[in-house]
Each structure stands twice: as structure tokens, then as C-alpha cells.
Amino acid sequence: MALVPVAEALERLLDGAAALQGERVALLDAADRVLAEPVVALRTQPPFNASAMDGYAVRAADIASLPAKLSVVGMAPAGSGFAGTVQQGQAVRIFTGAPLPEGADTIVIQENVRDLGRGVVEVTEPTVQGRNIRRLGLDFAKGDVLLHKGRLLDPAALSLAASANHPEVGVVKRPLVAIIATGDELLPPGSELGPDQIISSNAYGVAAAAQSVRARVLDLGIAPDRREAIAALVEKAVKAGANVIVTLGGASVGDHDFVHDVLTGQGMTLDFWKIAMRPGKPLMFGRLGDIRCIGLPGNPVASLVCTQLFLKPLLARLGGRAFQQDMREARLGAAMPANDLRQDYVRAVVSAEAGTLVATPFSIQDSSMLKMLADANGLIVRAPFTPAAAAGAACDVLMLR
């Protein structure tokens, strides 16, 4: 099977991928979720003409000439309006959020009123008629579409939904990604290692990347290099309702790389296998019914680079979320040799110098070296057959953080 260009591989992997169906969740569980349906106001806000300030509800005609003395005939705290009608020469002590009393048309703030005692106040400063009143429906009216399908539920959107009297909202389901590590040599962190064993690390970075786009993660652990062991974990992923199955290692062409055979044996239709990129060439993608299967390389750097380029965009789309790689223009901080037929993703440190981004590649790019990836904050992207470039030459950088 010929090497597939990166852009084509991404296009094929995302082909037909769409936001999952919706589910209803309580508002407290809806933060950073994506709306699967519009939010329509179930009430009008404010539901009445309300005071916007602490002060006195008056008739504007009574304070046309100042100073004006008024008799205080009642009080209107929030949640308990004044039941009577404000008559000529009268005022009602009112607080923010309380309904405007019948007969009143203006709120005079308390700083502009002097208490003369015995239920009499004096208005000392002018106030325009209608001032300091929040009119009925100022924010929204019942039936208004307040939030549209596809909106990310940030704090303001959640507060708006609550204000419209929604205790829950319809959101896109979070995709479930099942992760299966493979290899006789792998043990979980904290293990006592034998002479031929290493720590399994890839799953943790892949899981974190999936969670960064709000996917759910099902870590199915490590399968030894036996077909039946891998098949058992694949079956668990299917039964759990996984939308994406990610395997780590075992998808290359070695005698003990069984992932491809197991998945195709269970009905997976292979779409592509091997990409024209470095690191990450042995990437596999196929479909097992509605489940998308991605076989990531075993080398940790290759695994995480492929996760950034392919898995995160897929999970974001399934979750109804917008996703765009953070590509920047920069200058090379060191010379680079010519590139071959594969697209390179070169770990680099990106810094700002005199207002220009400078990307300095590490001198060693072995795909097993995780510390270098952790130290890098960008990947220099070099297209196939890019000629050698001197320090200071223009380059494209995929920012990692």
C-alpha cells in the first residue's frame, strides 16, 4: 500500500464524521459542552418593570421642581413588591430588582434623597423621567431563541440558559475513545521491570489529548502480543459503545504486530496504512461498522504527533466542537537539511525575538525521545522534498502550547 500524504489521510479519516446525537444534561454538568439544539426562552426577563437601583419610586411630575418633599407610603424589597398605587406627592422605598409600583414612573437613587424623618424625604437632585428602570423584556422575551445549536456552553451561556428557566439543556454526546496498548514488553508505571521490559507511557499522553477536546476515555490497559488478547480488548471496546478505538503499537509489519489482522478479522474495513510523514509513518485507519479505528505507532513521539494531527480533530468533530491547528510563520533558528518524500514534523523550541518567532530544531529527532517532545513547544512542518534551508529562512510551525 502506497504512502498516503498527510492532508489526504486527514481528509479520509474525517470523511463522514459528524457530531454525535444529543443528550440532555443538568446545567451543572453542561459546562464546556456543545449545544445539540437551540435554547429558547421559557419566560420573559425581566418579567416586570423593575428597579435598577436602590432608591425611591416616584412620579416624575412630583420632582419637576426641586427640592421636592414626598411622603414615603411603603417599601418594595426584591421579591415583595408594593401592593398599592403611588399617588401625587408620594414615594415608595425600593430596592434593586423589585417591581416598579403602580403609578410610579421613575426611580430616584438613594444618594439623591435626604431623609427628613417622620416618613418624609426630600429629593435634592434632578432625575429624568423613566430613569433607573429595567423595562419588561429588556433582556429577552418568552419564545426568543437565546442560544443556537453548536454553541459552546461557556459561563455566560449557562447563566443565560438558567435565566430562561432551563434546568437542563440538550448537548452533543461526548465521544468515547477506547485505548488499547499492545506489547509483551510493556508494563504500567510503578512496575518492577524485567531485563527486557519498558514502561507503557503512550496511553497517558493520548488520553490527555483526547480529554483536551472533551472526549471520554476508556483505558483498556495492555494486551500482550497475542491475537486472542488483543481481540478480547477490542470486543470490550465495542461492547462499551466506543466511537473510536485507538491501538498503541502492533500495527507495523513485524512478526508480532497483530493489530491489523485482529481488527480486519473482526470486520474492520481498512482505509489506509502508512502515511508519508515523519514521525508517524505506520499509522493505520479503518472502520469497524460505525467505529473508527486508529492504529497509532508504538514510538511515543510518533504516537503523540499523530494524536495531535489526526485523533484530536476527529474527536472534536464527533463532539461537535470546532478545532484548528495553531499554525504560525517563523524563522529557522538553525540550518536544516533537505527533506525526502515524507512530511517532517521536527521538534523545536519557538521563541519571540524582536517581534519575530524563531523556531530552533533539536539536533536529534529520534521518535523514542519523549523528553525532547516535552521540552518542545512547536513542530517545524516541512513538506516533502523541501530543499535545505539556512538559519533565518522562513518556516511553518505547529504550536503545541
Side-chain angles (χ1 to χ4, degrees), residues 180-225:
I180 302 171
T182 67
D184 289 334
E185 75 280 14
L186 300 178
L187 287 177
S191 300
E192 290 292 333
L193 297 178
D196 302 317
Q197 294 177 309
I198 61 173
I199 294 297
S200 177
S201 61
N202 295 9
Y204 301 95
V206 173
Q211 290 166 340
S212 73
V213 289
R214 297 288 282 151
R216 295 172 294 144
V217 172
L218 174 62
D219 185 359
L220 291 173
I222 303 168
D225 287 322

Side-chain angles (χ1 to χ4, degrees), residues 125-282:
E125 299 291 336
T127 302
V128 177
Q129 183 177 9
R131 192 69 180 269
N132 302 318
I133 296 172
R134 295 173 180 149
R135 295 295 175 183
L136 168 72
L138 174 66
D139 198 356
F140 55 81
K142 183 178 180 179
D144 286 351
V145 176
L146 303 179
L147 299 167
H148 293 276
K149 178 180 178 180
R151 169 66 186 262
L152 189 69
L153 288 169
D154 56 20
L158 284 168
S159 292
L160 178 58
S163 180
N165 207 25
H166 287 273
E168 58 182 29
V169 286
V171 295
V172 177
K173 284 187 175 181
R174 293 170 59 197
L176 176 63
V177 54
I179 301 176
I180 302 171
T182 67
D184 289 334
E185 75 280 14
L186 300 178
L187 287 177
S191 300
E192 290 292 333
L193 297 178
D196 302 317
Q197 294 177 309
I198 61 173
I199 294 297
S200 177
S201 61
N202 295 9
Y204 301 95
V206 173
Q211 290 166 340
S212 73
V213 289
R214 297 288 282 151
R216 295 172 294 144
V217 172
L218 174 62
D219 185 359
L220 291 173
I222 303 168
D225 287 322
R226 295 194 301 274
R227 288 181 173 84
E228 62 274 15
I230 299 171
L233 294 187
V234 170
E235 289 173 4
K236 281 188 178 182
V238 173
K239 288 180 180 178
N243 305 106
V244 179
I245 295 175
V246 172
T247 59
L248 306 174
S252 191
V253 293
D255 292 340
H256 299 284
D257 293 329
F258 301 131
V259 167
H260 170 264
D261 291 344
V262 169
L263 287 171
T264 54
Q266 294 200 7
M268 183 190 78
T269 301
L270 181 65
D271 191 307
F272 59 79
W273 186 8
K274 301 185 183 63
I275 298 182
M277 64 179 288
R278 181 190 298 107
K281 174 184 173 182

Side-chain angles (χ1 to χ4, degrees), residues 58-65 68 70 88-89 105-106 129:
V58 304
R59 301 181 340 141
D62 290 337
I63 60 169
S65 297
L70 302 172
Q88 182 177 357
D105 59 11
T106 303
Q129 183 177 9

Side-chain angles (χ1 to χ4, degrees), residues 301-320:
V301 174
S303 179
L304 292 177
V305 170
C306 288
T307 294
Q308 177 70 34
L309 294 178
F310 300 103
L311 181 61
K312 286 177 67 174
L314 172 62
L315 294 175
R317 181 169 294 189
L318 293 175

Side-chain angles (χ1 to χ4, degrees), residues 6-7 10 13-14 209 212-213 277 304-317 321-329 343 345 377-379 381 396-401:
V6 172
L10 180 61
L13 185 141
L14 295 178
S212 73
V213 289
M277 64 179 288
L304 292 177
V305 170
C306 288
T307 294
Q308 177 70 34
L309 294 178
F310 300 103
L311 181 61
K312 286 177 67 174
L314 172 62
L315 294 175
R317 181 169 294 189
R321 310 174 74 82
F323 183 85
Q324 187 171 1
Q325 303 286 3
D326 185 6
M327 297 294 300
R328 310 277 184 91
E329 293 183 357
Q343 185 151 304
Y345 292 86
N377 62 341
L379 299 172
V381 183
D396 294 323
V397 177
L398 169 57
M399 299 299 296
L400 298 178
R401 59 180 184 274

